[in-house]
Amino acid sequence: MLVKQRLVDVCRGHAEQVEDNKRLQSSVRKLKHRLDQLLRETSGLEVEQARVLLTRSQLEALCRELQTQNRAIKEESQAKVREESERRRAVAAQFQTTLNDISSLIADSSEKNAKLTDENASISGKLAKLCQQYEQKNAAATTCQARCKQLEATEAQLKAQLDACAQRFDDVQAALAQSNTAFDTYKTDIDKVGLWAMH
């Protein structure tokens, strides 16, 4: 009778171990499935991180190129302004010399009045032409200044995009770190379950 009872107890214990083993195997399957999901998510985050890094590098290169172009345009505009200023001074000096010549001719002889009148008309035409040329060049300088402002606005937009990409990069880094932590936790749990199943 005692042997029979022990046999029953042994069989019951074995059945309980079998059930426990089934439950452990089910848990292991679930953990492995979750581990596969985490691995896929981690791979996706790594791809996203690489894409963000590439975009950031491209934007930085564009910003550097834009800054170089902006500096070149500013230098060109300044050179044109200096050149125009020198031309204005030359025109003013030439005009003053012409006026002095006219005054001298008028003082020297009234007989040359008619001729001087014609020359005065010619000089006035030249002066008008010079003024027209000055206005045209001044308009070109204004166009360059407008272009500089436009480039500065574009630079500000690119910097804003770069800041947004940098923020996205930080978010991806944080998500990747969280995913790695979860992965390590599940891996530890799986290892523990595997050791438990072996014992």
Side-chain angles (χ1 to χ4, degrees):
M1 186 66 180
L2 182 60
V3 174
K4 184 177 180 181
Q5 183 62 39
R6 288 183 63 185
L7 183 59
V8 170
D9 292 339
V10 169
C11 290
R12 185 181 297 112
H14 179 70
E16 290 176 354
Q17 288 182 352
V18 169
E19 290 299 323
D20 290 340
N21 190 32
K22 289 180 180 179
R23 284 192 295 270
L24 286 173
Q25 289 178 352
S26 176
S27 298
V28 168
R29 284 193 297 272
K30 290 179 180 179
L31 288 173
K32 285 184 177 180
H33 179 69
R34 180 55 180 163
L35 178 60
D36 292 338
Q37 288 180 339
L38 285 173
L39 288 174
R40 286 193 296 270
E41 292 175 2
T42 300
S43 177
L45 288 173
E46 289 175 350
V47 171
E48 180 66 17
Q49 181 183 8
R51 187 180 296 110
V52 169
L53 287 173
L54 177 60
T55 303
R56 180 175 182 177
S57 176
Q58 291 174 344
L59 285 175
E60 288 176 347
L62 286 174
C63 284
R64 287 192 295 270
E65 181 180 355
L66 181 61
Q67 289 174 352
T68 301
Q69 292 179 356
N70 193 19
R71 282 194 298 270
I73 290 175
K74 284 183 179 179
E75 291 174 357
E76 182 181 355
S77 298
Q78 291 173 355
K80 287 183 178 180
V81 169
R82 287 193 298 269
E83 181 182 353
E84 184 59 30
S85 178
E86 292 174 359
R87 288 182 181 179
R88 283 200 300 268
R89 286 194 294 271
V91 169
Q94 182 181 2
F95 179 66
Q96 186 62 43
T97 301
T98 303
L99 288 179
N100 293 337
D101 292 341
I102 292 173
S103 298
S104 177
L105 288 172
I106 292 175
D108 288 342
S109 177
S110 58
E111 295 178 359
K112 298 181 180 179
N113 189 31
K115 184 179 179 180
L116 289 175
T117 302
D118 295 337
E119 291 180 358
N120 195 21
S122 176
I123 291 172
S124 297
K126 291 180 180 179
L127 178 61
K129 185 176 180 180
L130 288 173
C131 290
Q132 183 180 4
Q133 291 176 353
Y134 167 74
E135 291 176 356
Q136 290 176 349
K137 294 186 178 200
N138 190 38
T142 302
T143 301
C144 288
Q145 291 175 355
R147 177 59 177 162
C148 286
K149 290 182 179 179
Q150 182 180 1
L151 287 173
E152 288 174 356
T154 303
E155 181 181 0
Q157 292 177 357
L158 288 175
K159 285 182 177 178
Q161 292 178 6
L162 180 60
D163 292 339
C165 286
Q167 182 60 44
R168 175 60 179 161
F169 174 77
D170 292 338
D171 293 340
V172 170
Q173 285 286 78
L176 184 61
Q178 184 177 3
S179 176
N180 288 336
T181 301
F183 173 79
D184 292 337
T185 302
Y186 280 112
K187 186 174 183 300
T188 302
D189 292 340
I190 289 174
D191 292 338
K192 290 180 179 179
V193 170
L195 291 174
W196 186 20
M198 290 177 61
H199 289 293

